Amino acid sequence: EDALVLTDGRRELGRAPAPRAVQALVPDGEGGLVAGGAHAPVLQRYTLGPEGLAAGGTIALPGARGVAAIAPAGRALVAAEAYGDGVWRIDRAAPGAITRVRQGRGCREARGLAGAGEVVLVACVDGTLALLGAADLERRGTARFPGPLLAVAAWTEGAETRAATLGLGTEDDATASVLRLHRAGPGLETLDALDLEGDEARTLLGEGATLEVFGHARGRRRRVRVEGEALSAIDDGPWAPGVRAAVTTSAGPLTASALLDALVGPAPSQDADPWRVSLAFAPNAADALGERLLTTSFGRPAGAPSCGACHLDGRTDFRTHALGDAAPRPTRSLRGWFRSAGVAALDGLPEVHAGADLDLPDLARTRALAEALAAWEPPPSPATVAGRQRLGPLAQTGSERFEDACAGCHQATLGGRAQPREAWEAWLLDPRGPLRFAGPEAPGLRRVDWRISLDEVLRDVRLEPFAHDARGDGRPLRPAEREALHAFLALL
């Protein structure tokens, strides 16, 4: 159930129903809140009072295919459509006075919205940055970039309006994360760009002299200085992975991690780690569906490949695959593909995988699958979530047994290169490391979909000689071997 939850970071203070797939939330300027969801054609209002959080009325957005973002703009609120090119202006004093415009050219799926001075900026998945007038929503400028734009911030400097955008992709590298600085008005001019060195940065915080960028996969926090028309890095430090939202507090940034289901705040001292408080909210349904589809073999016999056998964690296994009679090709990043192409990415699945003997489900023809994979954020290794510093003696013993009995087929590789067992611990404890345990004929074991329990899988293993199905002539695993292997495999 989608819900808006009020918390002080340590306990829940109240909750109220939220629009479906809620992803936008701003103050309404009157002491309350307004939220929107990607699957709901309305804005939901909330009041904050002595008794906590309560849902108020709704503001209908006729014809809207969801709400991607909301931003204050002077005396109004502006909302951008999630799966279309609509933008709405809602007068705060008269919520029934709603203006809608269709952007038409470009910006079919908004991801970010920001207002400053007399303008509003819309950042879109197709790489469009649109500059609109705050009073009339008339387009005043457009810029196009090679990859998706994921966030935008705007502020005024004297008589000028400045903006920063966070996006994926450059002309030379489709996977690079880039922070750009723009002058907004009378048109759009890009002043500078800073390469964030490949981290899938998703969240941008700040307006003016200092900007903060939070990485997704690597769990990094970068501070960037804005000096005149230039961007320069201030520092780069560790942070929790999976940040999807951030706000500024008097103590520093407060971030929400979708991977950890936790609020992550500033460290109490320079040498300490940032604090984190588990929220233990219900998992996002789209994330759960995306993970299930990625790691399931769709009813094929045990051992048949799932999507995740090659597209590790929605990225790539860094190998080249020959599918049937087709020429070998490298694995594409599913996350980048679905976020850029949306539902159209489904059209080529059968042709791309021709000859691969994959049982693609009927579900792969639906918008639900495309939306799930576009929104899905892979969980880090359980070893990372647990906050471990070492694998532990039992898991280490399991890794040694795995090397002896299993690694011949389920090879430990990183970037296509074999990794010795001595390196496994460091990479498993690092959320950056797409360390995989797979081979040409063996599916990957990272976040595998154990359709029967891991205990049952290990109970059927035979050694000397090896077999998976309990029908071989070898001996079963001894209790100590099974316990150690279970401890290691459970961390993958």
Side-chain angles (χ1 to χ4, degrees):
E1 178 184 359
D2 291 289
L4 190 66
V5 178
L6 182 65
T7 173
D8 63 1
R10 290 169 174 79
R11 66 187 189 281
E12 183 177 316
L13 303 178
R15 68 171 57 200
R20 287 187 60 205
V22 59
Q23 62 184 46
L25 178 68
V26 297
D28 65 3
E30 300 173 354
L33 301 169
V34 175
H39 296 168
V42 299
L43 299 181
Q44 176 69 57
R45 306 190 76 162
Y46 300 88
T47 59
L48 290 169
E51 298 186 4
L53 182 71
T58 60
I59 302 172
L61 303 177
R65 289 181 288 176
V67 176
I70 313 169
R75 297 173 56 85
L77 291 174
V78 177
E81 192 171 21
Y83 301 108
D85 61 356
V87 180
W88 286 261
R89 182 183 185 277
I90 302 99
D91 192 314
R92 296 193 206 207
I98 299 176
T99 302
R100 181 195 186 191
V101 300
R102 301 189 69 86
Q103 299 189 71
R105 177 167 48 88
C107 211
R108 294 291 301 173
E109 295 184 28
R111 281 296 178 269
L113 191 63
E118 302 299 320
V119 298
V120 173
L121 292 108
V122 188
C124 307
V125 171
D126 65 1
T128 299
L129 179 62
L131 178 67
L132 311 178
D136 53 15
L137 299 185
E138 290 294 321
R139 185 171 292 202
R140 299 184 180 180
T142 303
R144 290 296 300 270
F145 299 98
L149 298 181
L150 304 177
V152 60
W155 62 94
T156 57
E157 287 188 7
E160 287 191 345
T161 299
R162 295 290 177 90
T165 55
L166 184 61
L168 291 176
T170 66
E171 296 291 352
D172 300 322
D173 184 356
T175 65
S177 286
V178 183
L179 181 66
R180 298 181 177 94
L181 178 66
H182 313 272
R183 178 183 289 116
L188 273 171
E189 179 186 0
T190 300
L191 304 175
D192 197 11
L194 184 66
D195 189 339
L196 299 176
E197 299 177 358
D199 190 11
E200 289 192 23
R202 295 290 306 277
T203 303
L204 173 63
L205 181 63
E207 298 173 354
T210 302
L211 302 173
E212 296 187 76
V213 177
F214 296 90
H216 166 68
R218 293 177 57 191
R220 310 294 294 178
R221 172 198 180 194
R222 291 179 170 87
R223 294 196 305 154
V224 177
R225 181 179 293 110
V226 180
E227 294 180 297
E229 299 183 354
L231 298 171
S232 60
I234 299 176
D235 53 31
D236 176 358
W239 201 262
V243 171
R244 294 295 297 273
V247 294
T248 300
T249 72
S250 58
L254 180 63
T255 60
S257 168
L259 298 189
L260 303 179
D261 281 333
L263 290 178
V264 178
S269 66
Q270 203 168 31
D271 299 327
D273 291 331
W275 62 264
R276 64 181 63 179
V277 176
S278 175
L279 299 178
F281 296 157
N284 181 283
D287 289 357
L289 176 61
E291 181 175 6
R292 193 160 61 248
L293 292 169
L294 196 73
T295 59
T296 300
S297 298
F298 302 123
R300 301 287 295 175
S306 64
C307 300
C310 298
H311 304 277
L312 179 68
D313 289 352
R315 294 188 186 84
T316 169
D317 66 355
F318 299 98
R319 295 188 302 165
T320 298
H321 298 266
L323 303 180
D325 297 328
R329 60 170 66 92
T331 308
R332 182 191 289 267
S333 167
L334 289 186
R335 287 195 290 161
W337 192 24
F338 277 96
R339 283 173 184 159
S340 301
V343 180
L346 296 172
D347 295 340
L349 284 183
E351 292 75 16
V352 169
H353 294 86
D357 192 29
L358 297 179
D359 185 14
L360 296 172
D362 291 338
L363 188 58
R365 294 295 184 184
T366 69
R367 174 178 287 272
L369 173 57
E371 291 178 353
L373 289 178
W376 179 67
E377 298 295 350
S381 162
T384 304
V385 172
R388 293 169 176 264
Q389 301 301 314
R390 302 295 301 272
L391 288 185
L394 192 60
Q396 284 283 18
T397 300
S399 72
E400 296 170 5
R401 201 70 193 94
F402 183 92
E403 181 182 39
D404 294 338
C406 313
C409 295
H410 299 280
Q411 301 159 11
T413 58
L414 182 70
R417 297 182 179 181
Q419 298 294 314
R421 189 182 60 78
E422 292 74 21
W424 295 359
E425 180 180 62
W427 283 115
L428 284 175
L429 295 175
D430 189 331
R432 294 174 295 175
L435 185 65
R436 56 182 284 105
F437 293 87
E441 304 297 330
L445 298 182
R446 296 294 299 276
R447 254 86 70 207
V448 70
D449 176 39
W450 300 107
R451 278 168 289 168
I452 58 176
S453 72
L454 180 52
D455 287 323
E456 291 178 272
V457 171
L458 294 175
R459 190 174 60 225
D460 288 344
V461 166
R462 296 293 181 266
L463 299 179
E464 303 167 4
F466 182 87
H468 263 302
D469 55 11
R471 293 194 295 268
D473 296 328
R475 65 170 178 84
L477 290 170
R478 299 184 180 95
E481 293 174 320
R482 189 163 61 245
E483 184 182 13
L485 276 169
H486 188 288
F488 174 68
L489 292 170
L491 294 178
L492 302 187

